[in-house]
């Protein structure tokens, strides 16, 4: 789905947007991002309620990763503001980022460290003392089923193991908000179930989780709230039940985004299957 709305140019007035909601875990207001001629995010407004398990879904190229990157300080927006529990992310980045744990898309790690060393480095980088880092490293290795590979270099980890140690690195400082881009991609079913349990307990204790995912059934079962985005716009947002209505989340998503294709042109494929 393409967005015909151009982003404002340097000489154009910035579109007015209401102030961020200080009660929200994340509050995005009037976010714009252009890459050359392509508008990736077009005036996005979105509130993530504190204590929610929030899913962000959209087709490829919808602007999910760009939006999450701007929401976590990894990418500066052309226009707009981001509030993290009432703190302006770009005006006070150190204060806001201290409360965030981020698993970005295509995460690159210091993979010549072992799993235990990587977690230790992440904890010390966040300002934790060594005793706390050591204790939390052991807890996270156990939770992610990485104890047997604690002394294995991350470069030798499988894709799923790499995802798990990256997630553990995002959690070691006990952030108030976890923002996770495709956290279950390449993770085996048992590990995925354990991670979901960890995240649910984190939310039950007052934390907020934002996940980007292509798996609608997973979002429907796991999340309390969801936003559907396409073309850099929010098409629907709210509780999962409110957004999907009487439909499944996947059917509601397809209705909003469009793109379902008729298959009449594949009659040759069906006839081939029947003849065999």
């Amino acid at each position: 789905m393409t967005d015909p709305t151009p982003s404002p140019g340097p000489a154009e007035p910035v579109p007015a947007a209401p102030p961020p909601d200080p009660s929200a875990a994340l509050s995005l207001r009037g976010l714009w991002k252009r890459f050359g001629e392509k508008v990736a995010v077009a005036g996005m407004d979105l509130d993530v309620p504190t204590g929610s398990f929030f899913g962000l879904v959209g087709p490829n190229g919808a602007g999910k990763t760009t939006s999450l990157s701007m929401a976590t300080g990894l990418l500066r927006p052309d226009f707009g503001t981001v509030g993290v529990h009432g703190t302006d992310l770009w005006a006070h980045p150190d204060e806001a980022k201290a409360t965030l744990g981020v698993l970005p898309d295509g995460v690159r790690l210091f993979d010549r460290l072992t799993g235990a060393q990587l977690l230790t480095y992440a904890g010390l980088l966040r300002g934790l003392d060594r005793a706390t880092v050591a204790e939390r490293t052991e807890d996270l290795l156990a939770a992610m089923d990485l104890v047997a590979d604690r002394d294995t270099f991350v470069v030798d980890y499988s894709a799923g193991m790499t995802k798990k140690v990256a997630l553990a690195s995002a959690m070691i400082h006990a952030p108030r908000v976890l923002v996770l881009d495709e956290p279950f991609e390449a993770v085996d079913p048992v590990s995925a179930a354990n991670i979901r349990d960890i995240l649910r307990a984190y939310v039950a204790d007052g934390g907020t989780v934002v996940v980007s995912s292509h798996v609608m059934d997973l979002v429907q079962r796991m999340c309390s709230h969801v936003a559907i985005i396409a073309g850099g716009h929010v098409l629907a947002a709210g509780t999962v039940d409110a957004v999907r209505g009487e439909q499944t989340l996947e059917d509601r998503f397809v209705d909003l985004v469009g793109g379902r294709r008729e298959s009449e042109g594949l009659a040759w494929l069906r006839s081939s299957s029947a003849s065999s």
Side-chain angles (χ1 to χ4, degrees):
M1 179 175 179
T2 59
D3 174 23
T5 306
S7 65
E12 299 175 45
V14 178
D21 181 355
S23 70
L26 278 178
S27 187
L28 317 183
R29 289 292 183 269
L31 287 189
W32 289 83
K33 190 63 183 180
R34 178 198 288 271
F35 298 100
E37 295 301 312
K38 177 178 174 56
V39 178
V41 177
M44 180 176 289
D45 296 330
L46 183 67
D47 289 323
V48 175
T50 297
S52 64
F53 206 134
F54 199 101
L56 190 66
V57 299
N60 291 332
K64 299 188 300 298
T65 293
T66 301
S67 300
L68 292 182
S69 295
M70 291 190 289
T72 55
L74 297 175
L75 180 68
R76 184 176 290 276
D78 296 334
F79 301 100
T81 57
V82 176
V84 183
H85 282 291
T87 299
D88 188 316
L89 174 67
W90 292 102
H92 306 284
D94 290 344
E95 180 182 349
K97 289 181 182 181
T99 66
L100 290 171
V102 183
L103 178 65
D105 179 55
V107 62
R108 298 294 299 271
L109 303 174
F110 294 104
D111 56 11
R112 294 293 175 177
L113 298 178
T114 67
Q117 288 172 338
L118 181 65
L119 292 182
T120 300
Y121 171 76
L124 294 176
L125 193 65
R126 288 291 190 167
L128 302 177
D129 63 80
R130 286 191 173 273
T132 299
V133 169
E135 180 181 358
R136 293 185 181 181
T137 293
E138 297 307 315
D139 288 345
L140 287 165
L141 288 171
M144 300 296 176
D145 193 26
L146 292 173
V147 172
D149 296 286
R150 57 172 291 115
D151 297 321
T152 301
F153 290 116
V154 174
V155 70
D156 295 321
Y157 277 13
S158 67
M161 293 164 64
T162 301
K163 181 77 69 161
K164 289 192 291 184
V165 79
L167 176 58
S169 297
M171 299 174 71
I172 195 165
H173 60 297
R176 295 179 67 186
V177 184
L178 280 172
V179 181
L180 314 175
D181 202 343
E182 296 289 350
F184 301 105
E185 188 177 42
V187 177
D188 67 87
V190 173
S191 294
N194 289 334
I195 291 171
R196 287 197 299 272
D197 288 344
I198 292 168
L199 295 179
R200 287 192 185 103
Y202 171 81
V203 170
D205 288 338
T208 304
V209 174
V210 183
V211 295
S212 168
S213 178
H214 287 100
V215 185
M216 297 296 158
D217 182 59
L218 179 67
V219 171
Q220 183 170 298
R221 289 186 291 109
M222 182 175 61
C223 295
S224 60
H225 293 69
V226 66
I228 298 175
I229 71 171
H233 295 284
V234 177
L235 303 184
T239 65
V240 170
D241 287 342
V243 169
R244 71 186 181 94
E246 299 300 318
Q247 302 174 284
T248 66
L249 184 60
E250 181 173 6
D251 287 341
R252 177 62 172 154
F253 172 85
V254 173
D255 284 350
L256 284 171
V257 174
R260 192 184 292 276
R261 300 288 183 261
E262 300 295 336
S263 59
E264 281 84 352
L266 296 179
W268 55 268
L269 180 61
R270 295 191 294 274
S271 61
S272 173
S273 300
S275 64
S276 62

